[in-house]
Amino acid sequence: MTNLQCDVKSCSYNSENCCCRPDIKVEGPCACGCDQTCCASFEEKRGASNSCGCNNPNQALDDTCTADNCVYNSSSKCTASAISVCGCNANCKDETECASFRMK
């Protein structure tokens, strides 16, 4: 399991800069940089509260990653000690990115 730091406050799964999901999926099969990746698990928050029905921040979660050009991708799993997801004012998954991405 990988530690996750998430600053996507507009995501319904974000609580205290952590994700409340048990897992996330990072996409970017042809990515050459962070800006070409995204958190496919993003779901826009509706209203003031966490709308996904989960409120327990999960710092260590399972991940699936399709960013094949990332040095941390090993068989579609992230080997980095931590994942950082960015996209402060994201309205859709394409406005998020994996800041931990490093080109092979």
Side-chain angles (χ1 to χ4, degrees), residues 1-6 17-19 21-22 24 26 57-63 78-85 98 100:
M1 292 193 167
T2 304
N3 288 327
L4 176 76
Q5 175 72 27
C6 181
N17 288 337
C18 293
C19 188
R21 291 180 52 92
I24 65 163
V26 174
N58 187 8
Q59 290 182 325
L61 67 160
D62 289 323
D63 67 89
C78 185
T79 62
S81 60
I83 297 173
S84 179
V85 177
C98 177
S100 303

PDB file of all heavy atoms in Angstrom, residues 1-6 17-19 21-22 24 26 57-63 78-85 98 100:
ATOM      1  N   MET A   1       0.837  -1.188   0.000  1.00  0.00           N
ATOM      2  CA  MET A   1       0.000   0.000   0.000  1.00  0.00           C
ATOM      3  C   MET A   1       0.879   1.247   0.000  1.00  0.00           C
ATOM      4  O   MET A   1       1.930   1.267   0.619  1.00  0.00           O
ATOM      5  CB  MET A   1      -0.910   0.011   1.215  1.00  0.00           C
ATOM      6  CG  MET A   1      -1.959  -1.053   1.191  1.00  0.00           C
ATOM      7  SD  MET A   1      -3.198  -0.723   2.468  1.00  0.00           S
ATOM      8  CE  MET A   1      -4.430  -1.858   1.950  1.00  0.00           C
ATOM      9  N   THR A   2       0.422   2.258  -0.678  1.00  0.00           N
ATOM     10  CA  THR A   2       1.183   3.485  -0.856  1.00  0.00           C
ATOM     11  C   THR A   2       0.564   4.619  -0.046  1.00  0.00           C
ATOM     12  O   THR A   2      -0.646   4.737   0.043  1.00  0.00           O
ATOM     13  CB  THR A   2       1.192   3.867  -2.352  1.00  0.00           C
ATOM     14  OG1 THR A   2       1.704   2.757  -3.101  1.00  0.00           O
ATOM     15  CG2 THR A   2       2.061   5.065  -2.604  1.00  0.00           C
ATOM     16  N   ASN A   3       1.406   5.461   0.528  1.00  0.00           N
ATOM     17  CA  ASN A   3       0.919   6.651   1.229  1.00  0.00           C
ATOM     18  C   ASN A   3       0.476   7.673   0.198  1.00  0.00           C
ATOM     19  O   ASN A   3       1.146   7.872  -0.811  1.00  0.00           O
ATOM     20  CB  ASN A   3       2.019   7.251   2.108  1.00  0.00           C
ATOM     21  CG  ASN A   3       2.300   6.391   3.310  1.00  0.00           C
ATOM     22  OD1 ASN A   3       1.410   5.745   3.836  1.00  0.00           O
ATOM     23  ND2 ASN A   3       3.542   6.372   3.744  1.00  0.00           N
ATOM     24  N   LEU A   4      -0.636   8.331   0.467  1.00  0.00           N
ATOM     25  CA  LEU A   4      -1.196   9.299  -0.475  1.00  0.00           C
ATOM     26  C   LEU A   4      -1.400  10.644   0.190  1.00  0.00           C
ATOM     27  O   LEU A   4      -1.989  10.722   1.275  1.00  0.00           O
ATOM     28  CB  LEU A   4      -2.543   8.806  -1.020  1.00  0.00           C
ATOM     29  CG  LEU A   4      -3.256   9.801  -1.942  1.00  0.00           C
ATOM     30  CD1 LEU A   4      -2.605   9.812  -3.310  1.00  0.00           C
ATOM     31  CD2 LEU A   4      -4.724   9.467  -2.078  1.00  0.00           C
ATOM     32  N   GLN A   5      -0.935  11.683  -0.471  1.00  0.00           N
ATOM     33  CA  GLN A   5      -1.188  13.067  -0.087  1.00  0.00           C
ATOM     34  C   GLN A   5      -1.982  13.675  -1.236  1.00  0.00           C
ATOM     35  O   GLN A   5      -1.539  13.633  -2.379  1.00  0.00           O
ATOM     36  CB  GLN A   5       0.130  13.818   0.115  1.00  0.00           C
ATOM     37  CG  GLN A   5      -0.011  15.287   0.404  1.00  0.00           C
ATOM     38  CD  GLN A   5      -0.544  15.571   1.798  1.00  0.00           C
ATOM     39  OE1 GLN A   5      -0.353  14.778   2.714  1.00  0.00           O
ATOM     40  NE2 GLN A   5      -1.205  16.677   1.972  1.00  0.00           N
ATOM     41  N   CYS A   6      -3.163  14.191  -0.961  1.00  0.00           N
ATOM     42  CA  CYS A   6      -4.023  14.718  -2.013  1.00  0.00           C
ATOM     43  C   CYS A   6      -4.472  16.136  -1.683  1.00  0.00           C
ATOM     44  O   CYS A   6      -5.042  16.374  -0.621  1.00  0.00           O
ATOM     45  CB  CYS A   6      -5.245  13.813  -2.178  1.00  0.00           C
ATOM     46  SG  CYS A   6      -6.358  14.373  -3.472  1.00  0.00           S
ATOM     47  N   ASN A  17      -6.744  16.288   3.338  1.00  0.00           N
ATOM     48  CA  ASN A  17      -5.680  16.042   2.357  1.00  0.00           C
ATOM     49  C   ASN A  17      -5.345  14.566   2.180  1.00  0.00           C
ATOM     50  O   ASN A  17      -4.242  14.205   1.791  1.00  0.00           O
ATOM     51  CB  ASN A  17      -4.417  16.835   2.683  1.00  0.00           C
ATOM     52  CG  ASN A  17      -4.601  18.304   2.418  1.00  0.00           C
ATOM     53  OD1 ASN A  17      -5.453  18.714   1.643  1.00  0.00           O
ATOM     54  ND2 ASN A  17      -3.803  19.116   3.078  1.00  0.00           N
ATOM     55  N   CYS A  18      -6.294  13.719   2.493  1.00  0.00           N
ATOM     56  CA  CYS A  18      -6.173  12.281   2.272  1.00  0.00           C
ATOM     57  C   CYS A  18      -7.388  11.815   1.470  1.00  0.00           C
ATOM     58  O   CYS A  18      -8.370  12.525   1.345  1.00  0.00           O
ATOM     59  CB  CYS A  18      -6.136  11.521   3.593  1.00  0.00           C
ATOM     60  SG  CYS A  18      -4.671  11.831   4.570  1.00  0.00           S
ATOM     61  N   CYS A  19      -7.291  10.617   0.968  1.00  0.00           N
ATOM     62  CA  CYS A  19      -8.392  10.034   0.216  1.00  0.00           C
ATOM     63  C   CYS A  19      -9.165   9.077   1.111  1.00  0.00           C
ATOM     64  O   CYS A  19      -8.568   8.342   1.897  1.00  0.00           O
ATOM     65  CB  CYS A  19      -7.826   9.287  -0.995  1.00  0.00           C
ATOM     66  SG  CYS A  19      -9.092   8.714  -2.149  1.00  0.00           S
ATOM     67  N   ARG A  21     -11.122   6.739  -0.167  1.00  0.00           N
ATOM     68  CA  ARG A  21     -11.322   5.498  -0.917  1.00  0.00           C
ATOM     69  C   ARG A  21     -10.348   4.433  -0.426  1.00  0.00           C
ATOM     70  O   ARG A  21      -9.282   4.751   0.081  1.00  0.00           O
ATOM     71  CB  ARG A  21     -11.070   5.744  -2.408  1.00  0.00           C
ATOM     72  CG  ARG A  21     -12.100   6.617  -3.087  1.00  0.00           C
ATOM     73  CD  ARG A  21     -11.735   6.798  -4.558  1.00  0.00           C
ATOM     74  NE  ARG A  21     -11.508   5.522  -5.227  1.00  0.00           N
ATOM     75  CZ  ARG A  21     -12.441   4.828  -5.883  1.00  0.00           C
ATOM     76  NH1 ARG A  21     -13.661   5.303  -5.966  1.00  0.00           N
ATOM     77  NH2 ARG A  21     -12.149   3.687  -6.463  1.00  0.00           N
ATOM     78  N   PRO A  22     -10.647   3.171  -0.649  1.00  0.00           N
ATOM     79  CA  PRO A  22      -9.689   2.110  -0.320  1.00  0.00           C
ATOM     80  C   PRO A  22      -8.602   1.967  -1.389  1.00  0.00           C
ATOM     81  O   PRO A  22      -7.563   1.371  -1.156  1.00  0.00           O
ATOM     82  CB  PRO A  22     -10.551   0.855  -0.257  1.00  0.00           C
ATOM     83  CG  PRO A  22     -11.727   1.162  -1.128  1.00  0.00           C
ATOM     84  CD  PRO A  22     -11.958   2.644  -1.024  1.00  0.00           C
ATOM     85  N   ILE A  24      -7.094   3.897  -5.454  1.00  0.00           N
ATOM     86  CA  ILE A  24      -7.211   4.908  -6.504  1.00  0.00           C
ATOM     87  C   ILE A  24      -6.616   4.358  -7.791  1.00  0.00           C
ATOM     88  O   ILE A  24      -5.840   3.400  -7.770  1.00  0.00           O
ATOM     89  CB  ILE A  24      -6.514   6.246  -6.156  1.00  0.00           C
ATOM     90  CG1 ILE A  24      -5.000   6.061  -6.036  1.00  0.00           C
ATOM     91  CG2 ILE A  24      -7.113   6.884  -4.935  1.00  0.00           C
ATOM     92  CD1 ILE A  24      -4.228   7.363  -6.095  1.00  0.00           C
ATOM     93  N   VAL A  26      -4.535   5.864 -11.124  1.00  0.00           N
ATOM     94  CA  VAL A  26      -3.854   6.954 -11.807  1.00  0.00           C
ATOM     95  C   VAL A  26      -3.733   6.554 -13.271  1.00  0.00           C
ATOM     96  O   VAL A  26      -3.294   5.446 -13.583  1.00  0.00           O
ATOM     97  CB  VAL A  26      -2.459   7.222 -11.195  1.00  0.00           C
ATOM     98  CG1 VAL A  26      -1.695   8.254 -12.013  1.00  0.00           C
ATOM     99  CG2 VAL A  26      -2.604   7.681  -9.746  1.00  0.00           C
ATOM    100  N   PRO A  57     -10.207   9.335   6.447  1.00  0.00           N
ATOM    101  CA  PRO A  57      -9.027   9.493   5.592  1.00  0.00           C
ATOM    102  C   PRO A  57      -8.190   8.222   5.581  1.00  0.00           C
ATOM    103  O   PRO A  57      -8.008   7.571   6.599  1.00  0.00           O
ATOM    104  CB  PRO A  57      -8.264  10.633   6.263  1.00  0.00           C
ATOM    105  CG  PRO A  57      -9.283  11.371   7.059  1.00  0.00           C
ATOM    106  CD  PRO A  57     -10.269  10.330   7.505  1.00  0.00           C
ATOM    107  N   ASN A  58      -7.711   7.862   4.413  1.00  0.00           N
ATOM    108  CA  ASN A  58      -6.952   6.637   4.220  1.00  0.00           C
ATOM    109  C   ASN A  58      -5.595   7.006   3.629  1.00  0.00           C
ATOM    110  O   ASN A  58      -5.481   7.211   2.427  1.00  0.00           O
ATOM    111  CB  ASN A  58      -7.727   5.701   3.291  1.00  0.00           C
ATOM    112  CG  ASN A  58      -7.092   4.347   3.162  1.00  0.00           C
ATOM    113  OD1 ASN A  58      -6.152   4.024   3.872  1.00  0.00           O
ATOM    114  ND2 ASN A  58      -7.589   3.553   2.237  1.00  0.00           N
ATOM    115  N   GLN A  59      -4.575   7.110   4.463  1.00  0.00           N
ATOM    116  CA  GLN A  59      -3.259   7.503   3.966  1.00  0.00           C
ATOM    117  C   GLN A  59      -2.549   6.370   3.233  1.00  0.00           C
ATOM    118  O   GLN A  59      -1.698   6.613   2.401  1.00  0.00           O
ATOM    119  CB  GLN A  59      -2.392   8.010   5.109  1.00  0.00           C
ATOM    120  CG  GLN A  59      -2.858   9.344   5.631  1.00  0.00           C
ATOM    121  CD  GLN A  59      -1.953   9.859   6.732  1.00  0.00           C
ATOM    122  OE1 GLN A  59      -1.426   9.101   7.522  1.00  0.00           O
ATOM    123  NE2 GLN A  59      -1.803  11.162   6.773  1.00  0.00           N
ATOM    124  N   ALA A  60      -2.854   5.138   3.547  1.00  0.00           N
ATOM    125  CA  ALA A  60      -2.229   3.997   2.879  1.00  0.00           C
ATOM    126  C   ALA A  60      -3.303   3.247   2.102  1.00  0.00           C
ATOM    127  O   ALA A  60      -4.187   2.646   2.687  1.00  0.00           O
ATOM    128  CB  ALA A  60      -1.561   3.080   3.892  1.00  0.00           C
ATOM    129  N   LEU A  61      -3.250   3.328   0.792  1.00  0.00           N
ATOM    130  CA  LEU A  61      -4.283   2.703  -0.016  1.00  0.00           C
ATOM    131  C   LEU A  61      -3.687   1.978  -1.206  1.00  0.00           C
ATOM    132  O   LEU A  61      -2.548   2.219  -1.585  1.00  0.00           O
ATOM    133  CB  LEU A  61      -5.306   3.737  -0.466  1.00  0.00           C
ATOM    134  CG  LEU A  61      -4.875   4.813  -1.448  1.00  0.00           C
ATOM    135  CD1 LEU A  61      -6.113   5.384  -2.117  1.00  0.00           C
ATOM    136  CD2 LEU A  61      -4.147   5.929  -0.755  1.00  0.00           C
ATOM    137  N   ASP A  62      -4.459   1.078  -1.769  1.00  0.00           N
ATOM    138  CA  ASP A  62      -4.046   0.360  -2.965  1.00  0.00           C
ATOM    139  C   ASP A  62      -4.142   1.284  -4.170  1.00  0.00           C
ATOM    140  O   ASP A  62      -4.992   2.172  -4.206  1.00  0.00           O
ATOM    141  CB  ASP A  62      -4.941  -0.857  -3.191  1.00  0.00           C
ATOM    142  CG  ASP A  62      -4.697  -1.957  -2.182  1.00  0.00           C
ATOM    143  OD1 ASP A  62      -3.522  -2.163  -1.804  1.00  0.00           O
ATOM    144  OD2 ASP A  62      -5.662  -2.616  -1.778  1.00  0.00           O
ATOM    145  N   ASP A  63      -3.270   1.063  -5.140  1.00  0.00           N
ATOM    146  CA  ASP A  63      -3.309   1.895  -6.341  1.00  0.00           C
ATOM    147  C   ASP A  63      -3.177   1.026  -7.579  1.00  0.00           C
ATOM    148  O   ASP A  63      -2.624  -0.067  -7.536  1.00  0.00           O
ATOM    149  CB  ASP A  63      -2.171   2.921  -6.310  1.00  0.00           C
ATOM    150  CG  ASP A  63      -0.812   2.255  -6.425  1.00  0.00           C
ATOM    151  OD1 ASP A  63      -0.342   2.072  -7.565  1.00  0.00           O
ATOM    152  OD2 ASP A  63      -0.231   1.893  -5.385  1.00  0.00           O
ATOM    153  N   CYS A  78       2.237   1.355  -8.108  1.00  0.00           N
ATOM    154  CA  CYS A  78       3.203   2.398  -7.793  1.00  0.00           C
ATOM    155  C   CYS A  78       4.170   1.911  -6.722  1.00  0.00           C
ATOM    156  O   CYS A  78       3.748   1.421  -5.678  1.00  0.00           O
ATOM    157  CB  CYS A  78       2.489   3.657  -7.319  1.00  0.00           C
ATOM    158  SG  CYS A  78       3.630   5.041  -7.045  1.00  0.00           S
ATOM    159  N   THR A  79       5.473   2.067  -6.989  1.00  0.00           N
ATOM    160  CA  THR A  79       6.487   1.664  -6.022  1.00  0.00           C
ATOM    161  C   THR A  79       7.053   2.852  -5.246  1.00  0.00           C
ATOM    162  O   THR A  79       7.939   2.672  -4.404  1.00  0.00           O
ATOM    163  CB  THR A  79       7.648   0.916  -6.716  1.00  0.00           C
ATOM    164  OG1 THR A  79       8.279   1.796  -7.652  1.00  0.00           O
ATOM    165  CG2 THR A  79       7.151  -0.345  -7.408  1.00  0.00           C
ATOM    166  N   ALA A  80       6.555   4.061  -5.516  1.00  0.00           N
ATOM    167  CA  ALA A  80       7.021   5.242  -4.777  1.00  0.00           C
ATOM    168  C   ALA A  80       6.603   5.116  -3.315  1.00  0.00           C
ATOM    169  O   ALA A  80       5.587   4.496  -3.000  1.00  0.00           O
ATOM    170  CB  ALA A  80       6.425   6.509  -5.386  1.00  0.00           C
ATOM    171  N   SER A  81       7.368   5.706  -2.431  1.00  0.00           N
ATOM    172  CA  SER A  81       7.019   5.653  -1.006  1.00  0.00           C
ATOM    173  C   SER A  81       5.775   6.483  -0.719  1.00  0.00           C
ATOM    174  O   SER A  81       5.091   6.251   0.276  1.00  0.00           O
ATOM    175  CB  SER A  81       8.185   6.134  -0.155  1.00  0.00           C
ATOM    176  OG  SER A  81       8.524   7.465  -0.483  1.00  0.00           O
ATOM    177  N   ALA A  82       5.480   7.436  -1.603  1.00  0.00           N
ATOM    178  CA  ALA A  82       4.283   8.266  -1.441  1.00  0.00           C
ATOM    179  C   ALA A  82       3.811   8.759  -2.796  1.00  0.00           C
ATOM    180  O   ALA A  82       4.612   8.977  -3.697  1.00  0.00           O
ATOM    181  CB  ALA A  82       4.574   9.446  -0.528  1.00  0.00           C
ATOM    182  N   ILE A  83       2.517   8.933  -2.918  1.00  0.00           N
ATOM    183  CA  ILE A  83       1.904   9.499  -4.119  1.00  0.00           C
ATOM    184  C   ILE A  83       1.332  10.859  -3.732  1.00  0.00           C
ATOM    185  O   ILE A  83       0.667  10.993  -2.710  1.00  0.00           O
ATOM    186  CB  ILE A  83       0.761   8.618  -4.656  1.00  0.00           C
ATOM    187  CG1 ILE A  83       1.280   7.244  -5.078  1.00  0.00           C
ATOM    188  CG2 ILE A  83       0.064   9.300  -5.837  1.00  0.00           C
ATOM    189  CD1 ILE A  83       0.173   6.263  -5.455  1.00  0.00           C
ATOM    190  N   SER A  84       1.581  11.846  -4.577  1.00  0.00           N
ATOM    191  CA  SER A  84       1.014  13.167  -4.361  1.00  0.00           C
ATOM    192  C   SER A  84       0.103  13.494  -5.537  1.00  0.00           C
ATOM    193  O   SER A  84       0.547  13.513  -6.687  1.00  0.00           O
ATOM    194  CB  SER A  84       2.131  14.210  -4.256  1.00  0.00           C
ATOM    195  OG  SER A  84       1.591  15.489  -4.076  1.00  0.00           O
ATOM    196  N   VAL A  85      -1.177  13.717  -5.254  1.00  0.00           N
ATOM    197  CA  VAL A  85      -2.148  14.064  -6.290  1.00  0.00           C
ATOM    198  C   VAL A  85      -2.482  15.548  -6.137  1.00  0.00           C
ATOM    199  O   VAL A  85      -2.794  16.015  -5.045  1.00  0.00           O
ATOM    200  CB  VAL A  85      -3.426  13.206  -6.190  1.00  0.00           C
ATOM    201  CG1 VAL A  85      -4.446  13.633  -7.229  1.00  0.00           C
ATOM    202  CG2 VAL A  85      -3.085  11.730  -6.359  1.00  0.00           C
ATOM    203  N   CYS A  98      -0.830  13.386 -11.101  1.00  0.00           N
ATOM    204  CA  CYS A  98       0.042  12.703 -10.149  1.00  0.00           C
ATOM    205  C   CYS A  98       1.369  13.472 -10.125  1.00  0.00           C
ATOM    206  O   CYS A  98       2.155  13.383 -11.053  1.00  0.00           O
ATOM    207  CB  CYS A  98       0.276  11.254 -10.554  1.00  0.00           C
ATOM    208  SG  CYS A  98       1.412  10.401  -9.432  1.00  0.00           S
ATOM    209  N   SER A 100       3.800  12.909  -8.334  1.00  0.00           N
ATOM    210  CA  SER A 100       4.907  11.988  -8.050  1.00  0.00           C
ATOM    211  C   SER A 100       5.491  11.379  -9.318  1.00  0.00           C
ATOM    212  O   SER A 100       6.535  10.724  -9.270  1.00  0.00           O
ATOM    213  CB  SER A 100       4.427  10.869  -7.138  1.00  0.00           C
ATOM    214  OG  SER A 100       3.900  11.391  -5.954  1.00  0.00           O
TER     215      SER A 100
END
